[in-house]
Amino acid sequence: MLNRPLISEPQEQQRQPLSFPPSLLNYLYVGHFLARWGARMWEFSVGLYMINVWPDSLALAAAYGVVESASTALVGPVVGRLVDKFTYIKVLRLWLLSQNFSFMIAGGTVVALLLYEDVKSENFIVFLSFILLINISGAVGGLSTLAGTILVEREWVVVISEGQHPGVLTKMNATIRRIDLVCKLFAPVVSGFIISFVSLTASALTLAIWNILSVCLQYWLLMSVYNGIPALSESSQKRVYRSLPTDSERSSLTDESRNSHYLGDNDLEPLDHGWMRKVIERISRISYFSAWKVYLEQDVVLPGIALALLYFTVLSFGTLMTAALVWQGIPAYIIGIARGISATIGILATFLYPVLESQLSTLRTGLWSIWSQWTCLVVCVASIWVPNKLGAAYLLMGGVALSRLGLWMFDLAVIQQMQDQVPESDRCVVGGVQNSLQSVLDLTTYVMGIIISNPRDFWKLIILSLLVVTLAAVLYSIHIYRVRKHLFHLEKLYPLVRIVFSDDHMRCSKILES
């Protein structure tokens, strides 16, 4: 991937037909859309629910974010291991049932909490039970969404594109990301209008009904993809065989058990000396630690860390920024429209990325993308010094929206580097750890939201977010320098500078002669 020519492949090779019906890709995209729509509706609305339940404080919204992010951070590597261990069918069923059922429970609990507004003052234990159920359901839904993301984006897309012409993987990545951004565009707009012009209760009820009705259709669509593309079933069988212990592993386990059974008194001394090494070996065999070990051994660890750092930010239309904007008096439908504009710019990034990637390479596209994001986020920091509260809010939303162009191109660049450079046997594990690391940084954001819970101090979180994005851009630049031994083609600028100066010299000579 790193050494491929910058010139695009011949048109005949790009037009090579797929080895399966193209309609199956549409089934995959529609099934992914249905799953992402429900997740995006909940992601946007939960902050509004929490700020409505506990006004004038970001604490409840931040607490929800802590629970959801902590669960993904702790269990994410294990989820990646399970996706790698189970068959595609089992992962698909667990993902769809747990995700839709969790969001259905969460939406129903919100409806109950909003209908009984006095429960907080009359029975605080019941109120806390409702909040706890919402947090747990949202966390389970987030873990289920993670499993689906690993299955579709990190596994199925790669398996389906194998053996096809080179542009298929890039196009599928861009389409999958475009679907996610379309859901980010329209789901908040729909939820915002329902909340603003109907009620919060109606939006929570809509969320619950959506997940009840869509789960069967999602399962049928994705099962059609699995049954229609032989490469998926073949890959699933390989995973089953890979998870079984080999003959050498069985014999080593047998020998180990025999040796432990026939240990004598003379063998105790060397065992005592090597106890630390054995403890370390046993810890390394635990799924959680072994997954992190695999991740840290990858060549793309620095881009992965840089991408994860971008999740330590309030400069997105997430729970904290949404709650802060509501506190500043911005209507929910305006926030929904702004988030939709942000997603539209992100969708533009999915069209622009394949063009830049074909001309600049994946590595350099990522470099230009992350620094362009950083430039747009400087506008958000400038909004701190705008005296007019509404003007500052709109400038903040504008800077965040513009930064999505660089963010999503950088996201696609890092994902494609992982797809190209991570071995097939480690792909799901690395995907699980990557999402876990992202959740750790997301969790840190919500912890900071609890520490700085006064909406008047939101500016402190804005500055901190820009500093972290700066660190991410620097880390990725270091990776580029390590791989390419330079950041920019300065030697290509020299002829241009030489021409400019020679032209100036000729002009000066003509002036002196005249």
Side-chain angles (χ1 to χ4, degrees):
M1 185 64 181
L2 300 179
N3 299 322
R4 68 176 185 173
L6 298 181
I7 303 174
S8 59
E9 298 290 335
Q11 291 185 354
E12 292 79 7
Q13 189 176 3
Q14 291 184 356
R15 293 176 183 173
Q16 179 184 349
L18 298 171
S19 59
F20 52 83
S23 60
L24 292 176
L25 287 183
N26 295 329
Y27 284 10
L28 175 66
Y29 298 149
V30 174
H32 184 67
F33 167 80
L34 293 174
R36 298 305 294 172
W37 181 274
R40 291 302 183 187
M41 283 183 70
W42 173 253
E43 179 185 291
F44 172 76
S45 303
V46 65
L48 301 178
Y49 299 147
M50 294 304 182
I51 198 69
N52 180 80
V53 171
W54 203 300
D56 299 325
S57 176
L58 302 177
L60 208 58
Y64 171 81
V66 167
V67 173
E68 184 182 45
S69 300
S71 62
T72 306
L74 294 174
V75 188
V78 179
V79 171
R81 282 285 188 192
L82 293 177
V83 173
D84 184 57
K85 181 179 180 181
F86 292 163
T87 63
Y88 288 156
I89 299 297
K90 187 176 291 187
V91 174
L92 183 63
R93 290 170 180 168
L94 288 173
W95 159 38
L96 294 180
L97 287 176
S98 56
Q99 176 183 310
N100 288 276
F101 190 65
S102 298
F103 288 143
M104 181 189 68
I105 292 177
T109 307
V110 170
V111 171
L113 192 61
L114 294 174
L115 288 177
Y116 299 99
E117 298 178 355
D118 299 331
V119 68
K120 183 169 66 174
S121 57
E122 294 179 355
N123 196 330
F124 195 70
I125 295 178
V126 174
F127 171 77
L128 286 180
S129 300
F130 280 159
I131 296 297
L132 185 62
L133 184 58
I134 291 171
N135 288 350
I136 293 175
S137 300
V140 174
L143 290 172
S144 305
T145 303
L146 170 60
T149 299
I150 296 173
L151 179 68
V152 174
E153 297 185 12
R154 305 296 177 94
E155 189 70 18
W156 279 21
V157 167
V158 179
V159 173
I160 291 172
S161 64
E162 288 176 351
Q164 310 298 326
H165 59 79
V168 168
L169 179 60
T170 300
K171 186 179 293 186
M172 290 184 70
N173 281 332
T175 304
I176 289 290
R177 183 62 65 231
R178 193 175 305 136
I179 289 169
D180 190 28
L181 292 171
V182 165
C183 294
K184 291 188 73 170
L185 165 62
F186 290 106
V189 173
V190 172
S191 297
F193 272 91
I194 294 174
I195 291 170
S196 298
F197 299 107
V198 186
S199 67
L200 279 168
T201 306
S203 71
L205 191 61
T206 302
L207 174 71
I209 293 173
W210 171 268
N211 285 278
I212 293 172
L213 297 178
S214 64
V215 60
C216 295
L217 181 57
Q218 293 174 48
Y219 182 73
W220 178 80
L221 288 168
L222 295 176
M223 278 300 299
S224 299
V225 175
Y226 177 81
N227 293 326
I229 300 179
L232 291 176
S233 58
E234 292 171 3
S235 177
S236 184
Q237 290 298 322
K238 289 179 183 177
R239 292 150 62 87
V240 174
Y241 294 141
R242 194 170 65 225
S243 63
L244 296 175
T246 61
D247 294 337
S248 59
E249 290 173 339
R250 290 195 192 97
S251 61
S252 63
L253 288 173
T254 304
D255 294 340
E256 184 178 344
S257 62
R258 287 174 180 171
N259 292 334
S260 63
H261 183 71
Y262 290 109
L263 277 176
D265 295 335
N266 295 330
D267 297 322
L268 292 178
E269 186 176 350
L271 274 178
D272 289 338
H273 287 292
W275 70 271
M276 182 65 73
R277 180 176 58 84
K278 291 198 172 185
V279 168
I280 294 174
E281 288 179 357
R282 295 201 175 194
I283 291 175
S284 66
R285 290 174 189 168
I286 299 174
S287 295
Y288 185 86
F289 295 102
S290 63
W292 276 96
K293 183 175 181 292
V294 169
Y295 179 82
L296 294 174
E297 291 173 349
Q298 302 300 319
D299 294 334
V300 291
V301 63
L302 274 184
I305 293 174
L307 179 61
L309 284 171
L310 299 184
Y311 283 76
F312 183 21
T313 180
V314 296
L315 297 176
S316 68
F317 287 94
T319 304
L320 292 179
M321 181 170 159
T322 299
L325 291 172
V326 169
W327 176 83
Q328 289 182 338
I330 307 298
Y333 75 93
I334 294 294
I335 300 173
I337 292 173
R339 182 167 176 158
I341 294 172
S342 172
T344 302
I345 295 174
I347 293 170
L348 177 63
T350 66
F351 288 101
L352 185 59
Y353 170 75
V355 178
L356 290 180
E357 193 269 345
S358 65
Q359 300 298 321
L360 299 178
S361 81
T362 308
L363 277 172
R364 283 192 289 166
T365 300
L367 181 66
W368 288 105
S369 299
I370 193 168
W371 282 109
S372 67
Q373 179 195 1
W374 181 89
T375 304
C376 294
L377 292 180
V378 173
V379 177
C380 300
V381 176
S383 70
I384 296 172
W385 289 276
V386 175
N388 183 278
K389 185 182 289 187
L390 289 179
Y394 283 111
L395 187 62
L396 173 64
M397 290 189 289
V400 170
L402 289 174
S403 71
R404 302 302 93 172
L405 186 68
L407 170 66
W408 291 116
M409 285 199 295
F410 182 71
D411 177 83
L412 285 168
V414 173
I415 286 177
Q416 187 152 341
Q417 288 176 57
M418 289 185 169
Q419 290 171 335
D420 288 338
Q421 299 177 41
V422 175
E424 179 185 356
S425 58
D426 298 334
R427 199 182 296 143
C428 291
V429 176
V430 171
V433 175
Q434 178 65 34
N435 281 275
S436 175
L437 183 58
Q438 291 168 183
S439 295
V440 169
L441 275 301
D442 197 29
L443 167 64
T444 310
T445 304
Y446 288 112
V447 170
M448 294 303 301
I450 293 176
I451 297 172
I452 308 175
S453 60
N454 192 332
R456 293 181 180 85
D457 297 329
F458 191 70
W459 62 272
K460 298 177 182 178
L461 297 175
I462 293 176
I463 293 177
L464 181 61
S465 299
L466 181 67
L467 292 176
V468 175
V469 173
T470 304
L471 176 60
V474 170
L475 285 178
Y476 188 79
S477 300
I478 292 173
H479 173 72
I480 293 291
Y481 187 81
R482 286 172 55 186
V483 173
R484 302 178 62 88
K485 306 305 179 186
H486 65 272
L487 293 178
F488 307 103
H489 288 289
L490 297 178
E491 69 279 1
K492 293 185 178 180
L493 295 178
Y494 176 71
L496 180 62
V497 173
R498 187 176 178 182
I499 292 172
V500 171
F501 277 99
S502 63
D503 288 344
D504 290 341
H505 178 72
M506 292 177 64
R507 290 195 197 98
C508 292
S509 300
K510 289 180 180 179
I511 292 172
L512 291 174
E513 289 174 0
S514 61

